Amino acid sequence: MTSDEDERLERAILDLLGRRRPDASVCPSEVARSVHHGADDGWRRLMEPTRAAAQRLYRAGLVEITQGGELVDPATVSGPIRIRRTR
């Protein structure tokens, strides 16, 4: 079961991607910042939940996860990633 925050993060990923050209990607920090309400750096606590939301969307076949422009498995990747629509 997902929480309200999880659902907001998933919607934010899909919404941000929906506003970009089809081959564009988003950074998890951009998603976290869009969901966090406030001028402080509280968005940082949303980074891992954002990666988890991206992984759920990946398993559902809605997004792909890349690192350095190459497709990666979000369950095993570490370091910076990008999220894009499934091609």
Side-chain angles (χ1 to χ4, degrees):
M1 184 166 116
T2 59
S3 71
D4 287 342
E5 183 176 89
D6 293 337
E7 290 176 11
R8 283 196 315 272
L9 289 166
E10 290 175 13
R11 280 193 309 269
I13 291 168
L14 296 174
D15 183 54
L16 287 168
L17 288 173
R19 290 190 251 154
R20 307 249 169 111
R21 63 183 198 279
D23 61 338
S25 64
V26 295
C27 179
S29 65
E30 182 180 0
V31 176
R33 284 181 176 101
S34 77
V35 170
H36 175 67
H37 299 290
D40 60 5
D41 67 351
W43 60 270
R44 292 180 186 278
R45 76 158 192 82
L46 295 172
M47 287 301 293
E48 283 307 312
T50 298
R51 288 174 71 107
Q55 189 169 356
R56 287 189 300 276
L57 294 172
Y58 168 82
R59 286 193 308 265
L62 298 173
V63 301
E64 296 174 337
I65 308 298
T66 63
Q67 188 174 59
E70 301 295 321
L71 289 175
V72 294
D73 181 348
T76 59
V77 70
S78 63
I81 61 168
R82 305 262 323 159
I83 308 162
R84 70 181 186 199
R85 287 185 195 96
T86 301
R87 295 184 177 171

